[in-house]
Amino acid sequence: MVGRQLAVVNLATLTAPDWPLTFRVLSQVDAVVAGCIITGGLFFLRGLGEPRCARTHWPRRGDIKLAGLIGAVLGVGGGLVAAFVGIMLGGVVAAVLLVSGRRHFGEYLPFGPFLAVGGIVAAVWGRPIMEWYLG
């Protein structure tokens, strides 16, 4: 990814004195790199917020990597849609399992499959979902 990002950097734009520094840097970020960093970064930051001594630590490293991969493939918007769908689907399935008695509160439920399904939904219906949500 570093090589891909370095290939799209335009030094004339990056060193233009009349543009703000933030715009100069953000205008040089590739869509694949941005999707990976933002989607995977949100999961990574969520993982930093939980104490390490907790019995069930979410997200695990595989969830962070999968979110970064989905963000790299689908872009920032698709990655966020995938994360949203995965979280909602995981919550619904967890509630159904709790009510039916098949799982107990506090038991570990893998999040990767829900994130993968969210990625598939975002790949197929991501654009209509974003247009519906944003109005």
Side-chain angles (χ1 to χ4, degrees):
M1 275 202 315
V2 173
R4 182 179 173 95
Q5 179 58 46
L6 290 176
V8 298
V9 171
N10 183 354
L11 291 178
T13 304
L14 196 58
T15 58
D18 52 338
W19 291 357
L21 177 64
T22 308
F23 178 75
R24 286 185 282 166
V25 172
L26 291 179
S27 68
Q28 299 296 313
V29 177
D30 186 41
V32 170
V33 176
C36 181
I37 289 174
I38 290 176
T39 308
L42 288 175
F43 280 78
F44 178 75
L45 290 176
R46 166 57 181 95
L48 289 178
E50 187 170 320
R52 298 286 180 214
C53 61
R55 191 165 57 103
T56 58
H57 180 68
W58 181 85
R60 296 182 187 253
R61 282 180 264 155
D63 298 334
I64 296 169
K65 293 173 191 175
L66 181 60
L69 175 70
I70 290 172
V73 171
L74 300 178
V76 177
L80 294 177
V81 168
F84 176 76
V85 170
I87 290 169
M88 292 296 121
L89 183 63
V92 168
V93 170
V96 168
L97 290 175
L98 284 173
V99 169
S100 69
R102 294 177 60 125
R103 294 276 180 154
H104 300 290
F105 189 78
E107 281 188 68
Y108 176 70
L109 185 64
F111 182 66
F114 301 114
L115 189 58
V117 169
I120 293 169
V121 168
V124 176
W125 297 293
R127 178 77 52 198
I129 290 173
M130 284 191 334
E131 289 173 357
W132 168 78
Y133 182 74
L134 296 175

